[in-house]
Amino acid sequence: MNRWRQSVVEIQTRKRQVNECERAQTALSKVTACFQQMAAALGSNMDGSFLREELDETRTVAHKICSGLHRRLITLLIEMEQGQEDKEQVERLWVIFLSSLENFQQDLKKVKVLQEVFPLTQRKDRQALVNAGFAGGTSEVAARAAMVQTPWLTIEEKTNPDLKSHIAEIDVLLEEMLQRVNVPLWSVEPAQEAWIEGCSTLDGGQDEDESLEEMMEVEVVSHKKASGCCHHPNCRVGCLLCLLS
């Protein structure tokens, strides 16, 4: 195989790996969101053995995705050179994955504390549950988490750790990612502007300002009539002075 053909194969392979990491990050976000929603029901009137089992199963899925994504992102960032195509995209995934791990770890800590406060080892333990007003159940959320698929054809089978070990393992993953990969967080730029979906166009903003200004003028005019102002049409400063007098 000549060098040109080999480089083309390497580029295609790297693009496939980057796309797999993107799909894995999307899958992780869905699973951890479901885990967070189920964790909110711990200690409430919706708590029970079924919820505890579904939390463990969802945590297992998240653990598999985290392990694979962690290893693949580190490999990509170590092998890719500065200025290489897709490097910025992989760095953004790296930052998003760091944030996802930290948030997921906080949810794991919350679950650990709530399970210790509400052990549910005996039937009488249900008397300590709080009637939080939950309606429905968590089965639909658990089903959504179970339907999430990892993008990899082969999944490395790893033993799911217990809750305490899982929390400690995330600390190791975070430390390893920060030490082995030299990517300053401040240097990673977002792919799109923040809150872009909530920003209106420039024209729309001007229309909104004009409508607000018209409303204020109407209010000022009403006060002028009540206070005996000079009623000059262009005297806005005078209107304010009249109102304060």
Side-chain angles (χ1 to χ4, degrees), residues 65-82:
I65 299 175
C66 288
S67 300
L69 186 55
H70 161 261
R71 182 172 54 260
R72 286 165 172 81
L73 282 178
I74 285 184
T75 302
L76 282 171
L77 288 172
I78 291 177
E79 293 178 352
M80 297 178 75
E81 299 177 358
Q82 189 66 31

Side-chain angles (χ1 to χ4, degrees), residues 44-93:
S44 71
N45 52 309
M46 299 303 302
D47 198 357
S49 58
F50 175 78
L51 176 62
R52 305 294 174 96
E53 292 174 0
E54 293 298 334
L55 278 170
D56 279 338
E57 292 179 3
T58 305
R59 185 170 62 85
T60 300
V61 176
H63 179 259
K64 291 180 180 179
I65 299 175
C66 288
S67 300
L69 186 55
H70 161 261
R71 182 172 54 260
R72 286 165 172 81
L73 282 178
I74 285 184
T75 302
L76 282 171
L77 288 172
I78 291 177
E79 293 178 352
M80 297 178 75
E81 299 177 358
Q82 189 66 31
Q84 196 169 14
E85 188 180 2
D86 298 330
K87 184 173 177 59
E88 293 184 357
Q89 185 178 2
V90 177
E91 289 178 348
R92 282 193 292 268
L93 284 172

Side-chain angles (χ1 to χ4, degrees), residues 102-210:
E102 292 176 348
N103 292 333
F104 183 47
Q105 187 186 48
Q106 293 301 318
D107 290 331
L108 290 175
K109 291 179 179 179
K110 181 175 69 174
V111 168
K112 181 177 180 297
V113 172
L114 290 175
Q115 286 185 352
E116 291 174 353
V117 174
F118 303 96
L120 297 185
T121 54
Q122 299 181 10
R123 188 175 184 85
K124 64 179 182 179
D125 292 334
R126 292 194 59 84
Q127 298 176 358
L129 296 179
V130 179
N131 186 2
F134 269 93
T138 58
S139 57
E140 294 182 359
V141 181
R144 288 199 298 268
M147 291 175 61
V148 175
Q149 299 293 329
T150 57
W152 302 298
L153 297 178
T154 58
I155 301 177
E156 298 80 359
E157 293 295 335
K158 293 188 65 175
T159 303
N160 188 41
D162 57 66
L163 194 54
K164 183 177 180 180
S165 300
H166 197 168
I167 295 173
E169 183 178 305
I170 292 181
D171 281 329
V172 176
L173 293 181
L174 291 171
E175 184 177 359
E176 183 179 0
M177 292 185 70
L178 292 172
Q179 289 181 351
R180 294 187 61 186
V181 178
N182 185 20
V183 179
L185 297 179
W186 53 266
S187 67
V188 179
E189 297 182 357
Q192 62 180 12
E193 296 181 6
W195 311 109
I196 190 171
E197 66 279 2
C199 298
S200 59
T201 61
L202 182 60
D203 295 337
Q206 292 177 348
D207 294 339
E208 184 178 357
D209 293 339
E210 291 175 358

Side-chain angles (χ1 to χ4, degrees), residues 188-230:
V188 179
E189 297 182 357
Q192 62 180 12
E193 296 181 6
W195 311 109
I196 190 171
E197 66 279 2
C199 298
S200 59
T201 61
L202 182 60
D203 295 337
Q206 292 177 348
D207 294 339
E208 184 178 357
D209 293 339
E210 291 175 358
S211 61
L212 180 60
E213 185 178 355
E214 291 175 357
M215 292 174 61
M216 294 178 65
E217 288 181 358
V218 171
E219 184 177 358
V220 169
V221 170
S222 63
H223 282 288
K224 287 195 302 181
K225 292 180 178 180
S227 58
C229 187
C230 60

Side-chain angles (χ1 to χ4, degrees), residues 220 223-230 236-245:
V220 169
H223 282 288
K224 287 195 302 181
K225 292 180 178 180
S227 58
C229 187
C230 60
R236 297 185 180 181
V237 178
C239 290
L240 294 177
L241 294 176
C242 290
L243 291 174
L244 294 175
S245 60

